[in-house]
Amino acid sequence: MNVSLTSELENYVKAKVATGMYNSVSEVMREALRLMEERDAMQAVRLEALRQDINKGLDSLEREGSKPLDMEAIKAKGRTTLAGNSN
């Protein structure tokens, strides 16, 4: 397999090998792909958790119905929170 990199990325990979942390460009690329795979898995977990939260909210809405928001109370709570964090 051939991979084309920009000169900036190529220099970055070569610099990683030069540090001695990796023995070859292939090792750097394998580590990069492992990290990408790990990141993708974490994103999938977060996305699934978000979907569950959305479904939980929709189920609650169906069971309990909706209530109008008290915008003044929400603003007051926000101002109180901000005032408490500015100390």
Side-chain angles (χ1 to χ4, degrees), residues 39-78:
R39 186 193 67 197
D40 289 349
M42 289 302 297
Q43 285 178 333
V45 167
R46 286 193 298 267
L47 182 58
E48 181 56 31
L50 178 60
R51 284 185 177 128
Q52 289 177 7
D53 287 346
I54 289 169
N55 287 332
K56 189 191 294 185
L58 291 173
D59 290 344
S60 174
L61 184 61
E62 283 182 21
R63 280 191 317 276
E64 301 167 17
S66 64
K67 299 173 232 168
L69 294 175
D70 182 349
M71 292 308 294
E72 291 307 313
I74 293 170
K75 289 177 189 177
K77 184 177 180 181

Side-chain angles (χ1 to χ4, degrees), residues 4-86:
S4 298
L5 300 174
T6 63
S7 59
E8 184 178 295
L9 286 175
E10 185 177 344
N11 291 334
Y12 183 74
V13 170
K14 287 178 181 177
K16 286 293 188 181
V17 174
T19 67
M21 288 181 59
Y22 300 93
N23 293 317
S24 68
V25 168
S26 292
E27 280 187 20
V28 176
M29 297 308 296
R30 281 191 293 273
E31 177 70 9
L33 290 170
R34 277 191 291 271
L35 289 170
M36 185 187 303
E37 189 174 45
E38 183 180 306
R39 186 193 67 197
D40 289 349
M42 289 302 297
Q43 285 178 333
V45 167
R46 286 193 298 267
L47 182 58
E48 181 56 31
L50 178 60
R51 284 185 177 128
Q52 289 177 7
D53 287 346
I54 289 169
N55 287 332
K56 189 191 294 185
L58 291 173
D59 290 344
S60 174
L61 184 61
E62 283 182 21
R63 280 191 317 276
E64 301 167 17
S66 64
K67 299 173 232 168
L69 294 175
D70 182 349
M71 292 308 294
E72 291 307 313
I74 293 170
K75 289 177 189 177
K77 184 177 180 181
R79 288 184 188 108
T80 300
T81 300
L82 285 174
N85 290 336
S86 63

